[in-house]
Amino acid sequence: MSKKILVLGALGQIGTDLVDALRLRFGAESVIASDIRRPAHAVEGVFLEIDAKDREALRAAVVQHGITEVYHLVAMLSATAEKYPIAGWDLNMISLFNVLELAKEGLLKKVFWPSSIAAFGPTSPKDPCGQTVVMDPATVYGISKLSGELWCSYYFEKFGVDVRSIRYPGLISWKAEPGGGTTDYAVDIFHKALAQNKYSCYIAAESSLPMMYMEDAIESTIGIMEAKAEDVRIRTSYNIAAFCVNPRILAEEIRKHRPDFEISYDVDFRDAIAQGWPASILDEEARAHWGHNPKFDLPKMVEEMLSRLAQ
Ligand code: AKB
C-alpha cells in the first residue's frame, strides 16, 4: 500500500510548514491537509475540513482517502488552555484518542503526535532537563501532553499502535504565526522588530526557554516518522533540543542586525508558565536513536527569520 498522509491541524504554525515539507518529499498527491476551518485563501493540494474531535468524520476521511499515516497537530496551547481548561483538555485528549483508536482498528499504519516541553513541571530538572526525569506539569496543556505521552505508550505496548512523538520546544517560524502559546513571543518579536523596531514582551528578560527553528523541527518530525520502528525505542516522547534563549539575549541578537531595536517588558501570567518549564533540554536519545541533528543555532535562526520576514 502506498503512503497517504493526513495532517490534522494543517493551518497552524507547525502544520503550515509540515504540509509543504511532506509534499516536497512524498509528492503533493500523497499528502492531504485538514483543519477545523477552511483556509481564508485558496491553498494548493487537497484540503479537508475535519473536526478532529468527531471520530466518525475522521474515520470517513481516513477510509475514503486510504490514509496510512496521520500527523496529529491539533491542540489548544498553554496560554489559551489556562483560560479554557475543560475545552483545552477535551480538544487535546479527544482528538488524540480518536486517532489512536482508528490506528488500533488497523486503519492507520503510523501516527505522529507532538508532546512539548510543557510536559515538564516545576520540580523537573531546570537547566538542563534530561529525557527521563520527574514530570509534574502545572498547566492544563502540560497535563494533557504528559497524559497523551502515557496513552501513546499504552497504545503501543497493548495494541501495537506505531505512534511516535517528540517534545517540541518553542518553535520559531516565519510562514505562519503561532497562537495561544507561551513561547509565541519569540516569533512576535521578529514581526514587531521589522514593523516598529520595538517590542513589549510578556515574558521576563531572564526567563530562558528551549527553542528551535521550524526547519529543524520539521526535519526531526519527518525523521522520527521515517525511522525504522525498532529505532524508535522511546514510545512516550523524545526530548529534542537546538538552543535556549531568553528575551534579553534574543533582543541582543536582533540588535546585531537592527541596532535601534528596543525591548521593554510588560510581564503577564505567561511568564509564570515559562518559569515552570525547563530552561534547557538534553536530547542524546533522539540524536542516538534516530538522528535528530538540528542545523540552526541562535545567530543563524535570527538572521534567517529577519531576512525571510523582510522579503
Ligand atoms: C506553548 O508555548 O504552549 C507551545 C509549546 C512549548 O508547546 N509553543
Side-chain angles (χ1 to χ4, degrees):
M1 199 201 289
S2 62
K3 190 192 278 294
K4 196 77 185 269
I5 297 170
L6 176 65
V7 178
L8 297 172
L11 298 181
Q13 188 200 12
I14 303 171
T16 302
D17 275 89
L18 183 65
V19 167
D20 288 352
L22 289 169
R23 285 185 172 153
L24 213 57
R25 190 101 136 217
F26 302 115
E29 66 295 342
S30 305
V31 182
I32 295 181
S34 81
D35 212 303
I36 194 164
R37 61 196 154 92
R38 293 213 73 79
H41 308 288
V43 285
E44 282 175 29
V46 181
F47 181 92
L48 300 177
E49 208 173 315
I50 302 176
D51 177 355
K53 284 201 314 188
D54 181 345
R55 190 178 306 169
E56 292 320 309
L58 199 52
R59 184 197 308 280
V62 165
V63 171
Q64 189 192 340
H65 295 274
I67 301 298
T68 57
E69 296 177 18
V70 166
Y71 286 73
H72 172 310
L73 302 177
V74 173
M76 190 184 289
L77 298 186
S78 55
T80 307
E82 287 308 286
K83 293 183 185 155
Y84 309 104
I86 302 302
W89 174 261
D90 280 353
L91 176 64
N92 296 356
M93 299 313 291
I94 293 172
S95 60
L96 172 60
F97 278 122
N98 285 347
V99 173
L100 290 176
E101 278 294 305
L102 296 185
K104 179 184 158 193
E105 288 174 28
L107 290 174
L108 301 169
K109 279 180 152 176
K110 259 189 265 182
V111 172
F112 175 81
W113 177 79
S115 185
S116 158
I117 53 166
F120 299 109
T123 62
S124 301
K126 184 90 182 150
D127 198 6
C129 179
Q131 173 69 43
T132 309
V133 297
V134 169
M135 298 175 83
D136 60 345
T139 62
V140 172
Y141 174 66
I143 295 169
S144 77
K145 288 298 172 189
L146 180 55
S147 308
E149 286 190 12
L150 295 172
W151 278 112
C152 287
S153 170
Y154 185 89
Y155 271 72
F156 172 74
E157 295 292 342
K158 299 279 176 187
F159 311 122
V161 169
D162 189 354
V163 52
R164 304 166 182 213
S165 177
I166 54 190
R167 293 173 181 148
Y168 287 129
L171 297 179
I172 302 174
S173 67
W174 54 271
K175 279 192 191 170
E177 288 189 52
T182 299
T183 60
D184 295 9
Y185 91 85
V187 175
D188 202 24
I189 194 171
F190 288 98
H191 290 273
K192 297 290 189 320
L194 287 163
Q196 304 163 7
N197 234 2
K198 59 180 186 195
Y199 181 61
S200 168
C201 189
Y202 57 81
I203 297 287
E206 302 300 322
S207 293
S208 282
L209 288 170
M211 299 273 179
M212 184 177 290
Y213 187 55
M214 187 62 86
E215 199 175 303
D216 284 330
I218 296 297
E219 193 60 33
S220 287
T221 303
I222 300 176
I224 192 174
M225 283 294 271
E226 289 302 303
K228 286 194 254 136
E230 61 268 29
D231 290 340
V232 185
R233 281 177 263 161
I234 294 173
R235 291 296 180 152
T236 47
S237 191
Y238 278 90
N239 279 10
I240 59 166
F243 53 87
C244 55
V245 71
N246 64 37
R248 179 181 57 77
I249 292 172
L250 183 52
E252 273 168 22
E253 199 57 44
I254 292 173
R255 234 174 265 125
K256 290 181 186 164
H257 303 262
R258 303 181 65 84
D260 297 335
F261 175 66
E262 283 171 21
I263 188 163
S264 58
Y265 297 92
D266 186 9
V267 170
D268 69 18
F269 72 101
R270 288 170 284 188
D271 188 57
I273 298 178
Q275 297 287 342
W277 293 349
S280 67
I281 290 285
L282 297 174
D283 64 359
E284 296 99 78
E285 292 84 354
R287 289 173 190 261
H289 296 181
W290 47 267
H292 169 64
N293 185 21
K295 308 278 184 301
F296 285 80
D297 59 10
L298 176 65
K300 196 167 165 200
M301 177 280 292
V302 169
E303 199 180 327
E304 179 81 0
M305 280 296 285
L306 288 172
S307 87
R308 290 289 192 173
L309 287 174
Q311 280 164 19

